[in-house]
Amino acid sequence: MLQETGGSVPPNTDHAVSVSLPTWKANVAYEEGEPWIVKKMQCGYPRFFVHPIIQELAGEIVSRFGSPDTEAATLFPSLKTAQMCHSFILSKISPEEAHKVRILEFAPAQQLEKELTTIKSLLSCVIYPTEYTKIAKQVWQHSGDGISSRRGEFCLSALRDDLLVEKKGSGTESASQWIHKGPRRYQGRSSINGLGKGVLHGAASANQPQEGRESVQFIEERFGRNLSTSLATQAKIAVRRRIAGVLTADVELSEALEKSSEEGRVAGLQESDVFLFPTGMSSIFNSHRLLLKARGFMKSVCFGFPYIDTLKILEKWGPGCVFYGRGASEDLDDLESRLADGERFLGLFTEFPGNPLLKSPDLKRVRALADKYDFAVIVDETVGNFLNINVLSHADIVVSSLTKIFSGDSNVMGGSAVLNPHGRYYQFLKNTFNQEYEDTVWMEDVVFLERNSRDFVSRIEKINHTTAEITAMLKNSALVKNVYYPKCNPSLPLYDAFRTPNGGYGGLFSVTFHSTAAAVAFFDNLEVLKGPSLGTNFTLSCPYTLLAHYGELEWASSFGIEFDLVRISVGLEDVPTLRAKVQQALDAVATTSQE
């Protein structure tokens, strides 16, 4: 076992993105909320498990400004994001209870204002009766707009040192008049604030600033050198250039600000067409929100089996969506028939390739339908990543989770949305994004994201090669039922149509076995780190369907997603090393089959 149950993944990482669930039993217990595993959880995937530091900050705020015995709080980086949560809660409760939900906004005290001049709001907080916690959790999970643990760490220290002050007159007017509706198949089992207290790591000294001290020196001594607005601004430029494709060399930040070409992923794409978000889901949530703003209030289409929260966003915010879970040609036939009969849609959301079956949609046909019947195309390229595929030419917006392979280190969250400069809605979208976009990416987070992504190109090449070797090994085993990977998927021609000249097939695949007992034996005996997330520099595995769809296994199965599917994200290990680990797991399957 490479990490104890409930420990951070990667180990010894304060702001880890994943958590160790090393056995099948541990995953089931986590989903069931069994006390033995809840007590062990030191962290978790940030949109599903609120970091202990954020829990501690929320508790501190409620103790100061609310009633700890009857109220809870959810924290956001800005007033606008808090208002979105406030609006959603009000849509789910009776009007008579609305006055019990309120927003507090916090800003830096005078000692911090000089250095944090670009930060309009440090923290906003929605306080509500504890019985509404599950409602607030939906916003935290699906929107991805909650605060990061690094922002939480800073704000907790600042609040305790009286460097974070309440802004009087914070409005609770709704930031959105969206209709909230949709099925309630998925209900999270973990309370937003219910998993215990954490320890604040690296908290600043409680000494007050000396009279006349320079604010930059004060910030660095109190909170560390990463909290520099100029450094964060430079890091954002470098990250946006990498995403635009005008910066592909593995270089330091100083060189990244100088080295860039005019040719990006498509002709005419500029870094100003790239927008950064605090998480990948935030990029999807806000792209949907801004698309509604630009084009009007219409239903969307979700094409192909998506990552869970994309569908939830389309169902719960706005007028709803039409869901084609298999993403097959027959589904496009049905969509075309609807369009021909006069139905109109806001946009079609799809993944390229999908997760967890790694199936690629017929993006060329989707684009043709979009051009003929006037709807936007939004493609999530997270699994494929833009070094392997280039889908921007056939999309209006391309979104991605930078938390994954772009970062690799699994210690920071991030997301991006890229506008196609040749898209039919480009000007509408660009104007709307420029007017409505809110940069809520925390300074220290983007610094880590930039540092992690410097060797993005070389990491992708190695991971592509290793994954091709391992999937071939599994496909040749009689113990394996199916291997889901773009290279061995019937939709391979659809993937290859958008593969870049030097691109591969990525580092993610799924595998199924001839029995659940075999799947359990493989998973439990695979000596790699295990937990949620993907795209890490180390190989990471999970029983994906159990984790993502535990409350709706039958529903997922209806779209071909088997409940005992095992998903593997390949890291930077050498091929012989990883091959030996996979063989050990297969040997355990063989032993199980003989019993």
Side-chain angles (χ1 to χ4, degrees):
M1 186 181 298
L2 301 182
Q3 172 64 303
E4 294 297 323
T5 301
S8 67
V9 173
N12 305 313
T13 303
D14 290 342
H15 301 282
V17 165
S18 190
V19 61
S20 179
L21 297 170
T23 64
W24 200 275
K25 178 182 177 182
N27 281 272
V28 173
Y30 168 74
E31 289 297 332
E32 291 286 350
E34 294 185 17
W36 72 267
I37 198 165
V38 170
K39 293 176 182 178
K40 292 176 179 286
M41 299 289 288
Q42 300 173 23
C43 63
Y45 195 75
R47 289 188 302 99
F48 292 84
F49 178 98
V50 181
H51 194 284
I53 288 174
I54 300 176
Q55 294 182 40
E56 194 167 355
L57 175 59
E60 185 89 7
I61 289 173
V62 172
S63 68
R64 294 187 183 206
F65 301 96
S67 302
D69 295 333
T70 60
E71 291 185 315
T74 301
L75 310 182
F76 295 90
S78 70
L79 179 60
K80 183 183 291 187
T81 50
Q83 286 173 332
M84 199 69 67
C85 179
H86 181 268
S87 172
F88 187 81
I89 294 174
L90 295 194
S91 74
K92 303 295 183 183
I93 65 176
S94 67
E96 292 76 21
E97 297 289 301
H99 69 280
K100 297 181 180 179
V101 185
R102 62 193 189 280
I103 295 175
L104 297 181
E105 188 178 11
F106 296 89
Q110 185 176 0
Q111 296 96 317
L112 298 183
E113 283 182 334
K114 292 181 180 179
E115 177 63 11
L116 302 182
T117 54
T118 62
I119 306 297
K120 295 181 180 180
S121 174
L122 272 178
L123 181 70
S124 289
C125 174
V126 183
I127 298 180
Y128 46 82
T130 53
E131 57 264 32
Y132 301 151
T133 295
K134 286 187 176 180
I135 301 175
K137 182 186 183 296
Q138 295 178 59
V139 183
W140 177 278
Q141 176 184 323
H142 300 325
S143 76
D145 275 340
I147 68 166
S148 73
S149 55
R150 288 187 180 87
R151 185 190 288 259
E153 185 174 59
F154 176 88
C155 289
L156 179 56
S157 181
L159 179 66
R160 287 174 171 169
D161 291 343
D162 297 322
L163 298 174
L164 191 65
V165 296
E166 181 188 2
K167 290 179 68 173
K168 299 298 182 181
S170 297
T172 56
E173 296 80 8
S174 173
S176 169
Q177 299 301 317
W178 294 5
I179 298 171
H180 310 293
K181 65 178 186 177
R184 298 188 179 183
R185 287 190 304 268
Y186 187 83
Q187 294 293 334
R189 296 176 178 273
S190 300
S191 166
I192 274 282
N193 296 302
L195 289 170
K197 296 290 184 181
V199 178
L200 176 62
H201 299 285
S205 164
N207 295 331
Q208 293 300 311
Q210 298 175 7
E211 188 70 25
R213 177 181 292 186
E214 290 291 330
S215 62
V216 174
Q217 180 185 355
F218 172 56
I219 286 285
E220 288 186 356
E221 290 185 0
R222 291 294 299 277
F223 300 103
R225 297 182 63 85
N226 286 332
L227 283 172
S228 164
T229 54
S230 61
L231 179 60
T233 299
Q234 293 169 356
K236 288 178 181 178
I237 292 171
V239 167
R240 290 164 68 193
R241 286 182 179 177
R242 289 194 179 104
I243 296 168
V246 297
L247 175 64
T248 57
D250 293 348
V251 295
E252 300 292 315
L253 179 58
S254 59
E255 294 178 88
L257 300 176
E258 300 173 359
K259 278 191 174 183
S260 62
S261 66
E262 295 183 359
E263 284 299 317
R265 295 158 70 172
V266 297
L269 179 66
Q270 301 177 6
E271 62 189 62
S272 60
D273 295 321
V274 179
F275 296 84
L276 299 182
F277 294 89
T279 65
M281 286 316 305
S282 176
S283 69
I284 296 172
F285 180 84
N286 285 288
S287 292
H288 178 230
R289 178 177 67 85
L290 296 179
L291 196 57
L292 283 168
K293 189 90 174 179
R295 296 206 60 228
F297 212 63
M298 293 182 283
K299 284 187 177 182
S300 293
V301 175
C302 186
F303 189 77
F305 196 85
Y307 181 67
I308 178 173
D309 294 299
T310 298
L311 181 58
K312 306 307 177 187
I313 287 169
L314 301 180
E315 289 176 336
K316 296 181 180 183
W317 281 269
C321 77
V322 175
F323 177 44
Y324 293 107
R326 292 188 178 273
S329 59
E330 294 81 5
D331 293 326
L332 284 179
D333 292 341
D334 183 78
L335 175 61
E336 187 169 13
S337 177
R338 287 171 177 260
L339 292 164
D341 288 343
E343 284 193 62
R344 291 297 177 263
F345 297 98
L346 175 74
L348 181 147
F349 289 73
T350 191
E351 297 176 3
F352 198 102
N355 178 13
L357 298 186
L358 286 302
K359 180 180 180 180
S360 301
D362 189 345
L363 199 53
K364 289 185 177 181
R365 187 178 174 192
V366 167
R367 181 73 264 170
L369 290 175
D371 290 340
K372 183 176 181 179
Y373 292 105
D374 191 27
F375 59 84
V377 178
I378 303 89
V379 181
D380 184 344
E381 67 179 4
T382 300
V383 173
N385 83 71
F386 60 83
L387 291 184
N388 286 327
I389 57 171
N390 189 356
V391 296
L392 186 58
S393 62
H394 282 60
D396 295 284
I397 307 175
V398 171
V399 295
S400 187
S401 172
L402 305 180
T403 308
K404 310 304 193 299
I405 194 63
F406 186 82
S407 168
D409 278 346
S410 192
N411 62 3
V412 64
M413 301 281 279
S416 65
V418 183
L419 305 184
N420 179 2
H422 307 293
R424 66 186 301 169
Y425 307 113
Y426 174 71
Q427 204 55 59
F428 287 114
L429 290 172
K430 190 64 178 287
N431 292 341
T432 303
F433 269 71
N434 285 340
Q435 293 170 9
E436 300 289 334
Y437 168 75
E438 185 178 34
D439 184 356
T440 59
V441 180
W442 181 238
M443 296 180 294
E444 196 176 10
D445 288 329
V446 78
V447 169
F448 274 88
L449 191 62
E450 189 279 323
R451 290 173 182 169
N452 293 352
S453 65
R454 289 175 189 175
D455 61 349
F456 176 49
V457 176
S458 57
R459 284 189 287 111
I460 290 294
E461 293 174 354
K462 181 176 177 60
I463 288 171
N464 283 341
H465 171 71
T466 303
T467 311
E469 293 282 334
I470 298 301
T471 51
M473 172 188 177
L474 286 165
K475 195 164 180 62
N476 289 330
S477 173
L479 298 169
V480 172
K481 180 179 177 182
N482 281 308
V483 175
Y484 299 98
Y485 186 57
K487 194 173 184 179
C488 51
N489 198 301
S491 66
L492 175 62
L494 301 177
Y495 182 97
D496 279 344
F498 292 92
R499 187 160 58 91
T500 59
N502 298 316
Y505 298 93
L508 189 73
F509 69 91
S510 298
V511 59
T512 58
F513 297 86
H514 298 290
S515 69
T516 299
V520 173
F522 180 85
F523 181 78
D524 285 355
N525 288 277
L526 183 63
E527 283 296 315
V528 300
L529 287 166
K530 298 169 189 173
S533 198
L534 59 95
T536 48
N537 291 339
F538 46 88
T539 296
L540 184 67
S541 182
C542 70
Y544 177 79
T545 316
L546 284 182
L547 276 182
H549 302 286
Y550 191 76
E552 51 187 17
L553 292 176
E554 185 175 345
W555 173 81
S557 178
S558 70
F559 296 103
I561 315 297
E562 297 181 47
F563 84 94
D564 51 6
L565 173 147
V566 176
R567 194 186 71 179
I568 299 174
S569 174
V570 172
L572 295 175
E573 297 92 345
D574 292 333
V575 172
T577 300
L578 192 54
R579 183 185 289 274
K581 292 177 182 293
V582 171
Q583 186 59 57
Q584 177 180 301
L586 288 174
D587 291 343
V589 173
T591 301
T592 299
S593 302
Q594 294 169 4
E595 293 176 352

